[in-house]
Amino acid sequence: MQDKVGAAPAGGENLLFLTDDQLRRGIEAMFFAYRAFTADPDMILTELDYGRAHHRAIHFINREPGLTVTALLDVLGVTKQSLNRVLRTLIEDGLVESRIGRRDRRERQLYLTEKGALLERRLSEAQRARMRAAYRAAGPQAVAGFRQVLEAMMDQETLRQYHALREMPE
Amino acid sequence: MQDKVGAAPAGGENLLFLTDDQLRRGIEAMFFAYRAFTADPDMILTELDYGRAHHRAIHFINREPGLTVTALLDVLGVTKQSLNRVLRTLIEDGLVESRIGRRDRRERQLYLTEKGALLERRLSEAQRARMRAAYRAAGPQAVAGFRQVLEAMMDQETLRQYHALREMPE
DNA sequence: GTATTACGTCAGACTTGTTGACTTTCCAAC
DNA sequence: GTTGGAAAGTCAACAAGTCTGACGTAATAC
């Protein structure tokens, strides 16, 4: 039951010889790792009667303070009706502030309040702690490979959303 | 905006120096990659009025034909009531067969029918195609690192579920 | 002045998760 | 062998979070 990923036996140029079995293990690793990956924040969120949707909103608002509802909708890839409910509770609970856009008064710019920033740190630190431990256990070369494969797995649209926040104007 | 993961500057033994920024990129990569990862099967499933839960059940039944409902519950990490509904529709639709356990008549052993196996292949081939492309694009060393980091991310319980299917008796 | 955009909301449906109560089956202690 | 508890599975009702569709309001664009 070895698990080597080697060059093609006959010698296709840069192609790899990949058995269905090897691929299946990658698929299962993604499934279980993702579950572990979300476990820590999920526990914190459940305590507070929030869900993953709240976490995602908080994460990206923290990432790019002042981003608009439409921009947030784009990265999250959900409908506005769905996001709206989440956003409403976050605003009611005083974690997120919605300010009228400065350039365009139709827009709503979203910011974390102090309370929101506090929860963000609590959630992201839990997630970072796990990621940090995994990175340290696996080593720098593995980390580079990890990122390469994940990015290679994204399609054009996802890749665009993934990079969008780094290229935001202002 | 370099993204190196280097050794600690002061020189802790095997520790890596990891900024919050590097970790955050890993976290976001997981988020977006997982979404891309599930996109292909999700499309097929939507056509057929199934969801991800159906896919997961089909995957693991195919993986270990004859496994019991309890064993499936364990790997999936959901309540039996939740699984039951999914399982019922799969049985009604003739994709899964539930046979009374041979040793213990309380148990139900689960098998894919031919129709079920057909859908399984369709779903898993879509997912494998993406994984294969990502693996090939990233190269064998990256693949090894990818797997290492994912496995290092799992906690004990998840790791147990991850390995459970490989060590099943019979 | 009209069309478009950004945002919010109401209504209704579906998937998938939950808890609680129930039946059938097994096993072990009496 | 009977009984009583534990295990496996099923049924019912509810909650969260997603979706689509329709509509309203305000601000901007043409």
Side-chain angles (χ1 to χ4, degrees), chain B residues 34-148:
Chain B
Y34 194 76
R35 189 152 77 195
F37 168 71
T38 57
D40 305 317
D42 279 355
M43 287 205 335
I44 298 170
L45 291 160
T46 300
E47 274 178 35
L48 304 171
D49 278 315
Y50 292 132
R52 253 179 234 179
H54 299 86
H55 184 190
R56 292 194 285 263
I58 287 173
H59 174 92
F60 288 110
I61 294 171
N62 173 70
R63 187 86 162 59
E64 203 67 36
L67 95 171
T68 63
V69 173
T70 303
L72 184 53
L73 242 46
D74 181 53
V75 285
L76 293 180
V78 296
T79 60
K80 58 183 175 175
Q81 294 88 333
S82 181
L83 174 60
N84 190 255
R85 183 176 12 191
V86 167
L87 230 35
R88 200 188 329 168
T89 71
L90 289 176
I91 292 169
E92 280 170 8
D93 295 355
L95 300 175
V96 167
E97 194 183 345
S98 163
R99 301 185 202 153
I100 290 176
R102 301 176 54 174
R103 293 177 305 248
D104 186 335
R105 292 170 48 81
R106 290 174 301 182
E107 294 181 343
R108 297 291 177 273
Q109 297 192 295
L110 303 170
Y111 298 87
L112 291 186
T113 62
E114 269 197 44
K115 192 175 162 193
L118 208 70
L119 177 56
E120 193 285 328
R121 276 194 291 278
R122 202 175 149 209
L123 291 169
S124 67
E125 186 42 42
Q127 207 155 32
R128 274 197 300 273
R130 183 182 291 264
M131 190 64 77
R132 197 181 293 121
Y135 273 19
R136 284 192 172 145
Q141 216 171 28
V143 169
F146 168 72
R147 288 274 305 274
Q148 277 175 48

Side-chain angles (χ1 to χ4, degrees), chain A residues 1-165:
Chain A
M1 274 288 203
Q2 274 295 81
D3 202 38
K4 288 260 170 63
V5 177
E13 296 89 341
N14 236 353
L15 290 177
L16 298 174
F17 180 67
L18 296 166
T19 65
D20 282 1
D21 219 58
Q22 286 161 351
L23 296 168
R24 200 210 56 229
R25 290 178 199 202
I27 289 168
E28 291 181 357
M30 270 299 274
F31 172 66
F32 287 108
Y34 194 77
R35 187 153 80 195
F37 167 72
T38 57
D40 305 316
D42 279 356
M43 287 207 335
I44 298 170
L45 291 159
T46 301
E47 275 177 34
L48 303 172
D49 277 314
Y50 292 132
R52 252 179 234 179
H54 300 85
H55 184 191
R56 293 194 285 262
I58 288 173
H59 174 93
F60 288 111
I61 293 171
N62 173 71
R63 185 85 163 61
E64 202 68 38
L67 96 171
T68 64
V69 173
T70 304
L72 185 53
L73 280 172
D74 181 53
V75 285
L76 293 181
V78 297
T79 61
K80 62 177 176 177
Q81 295 90 330
S82 183
L83 174 61
N84 193 253
R85 180 168 27 173
V86 167
L87 228 38
R88 201 189 325 170
T89 71
L90 289 176
I91 291 169
E92 280 170 7
D93 294 353
L95 299 176
V96 167
E97 195 183 344
S98 164
R99 300 185 202 153
I100 290 176
R102 300 176 55 174
R103 293 177 307 247
D104 186 334
R105 291 171 48 80
R106 289 173 303 183
E107 294 180 344
R108 296 290 177 271
Q109 297 191 295
L110 303 170
Y111 298 88
L112 292 186
T113 62
E114 269 196 42
K115 192 176 162 192
L118 208 71
L119 177 57
E120 193 284 329
R121 275 193 292 280
R122 202 176 149 210
L123 290 169
S124 68
E125 186 42 43
Q127 207 156 32
R128 273 198 302 273
R130 182 182 292 264
M131 191 64 77
R132 197 181 294 120
Y135 273 19
R136 285 192 172 146
Q141 217 171 27
V143 169
F146 167 71
R147 289 273 304 274
Q148 276 174 49
V149 173
L150 287 186
E151 289 175 14
M153 213 180 299
M154 300 180 199
D155 47 58
Q156 284 305 310
E157 173 63 7
T158 305
L159 214 50
R160 186 188 62 69
Q161 296 166 328
Y162 175 62
H163 288 302
L165 293 167

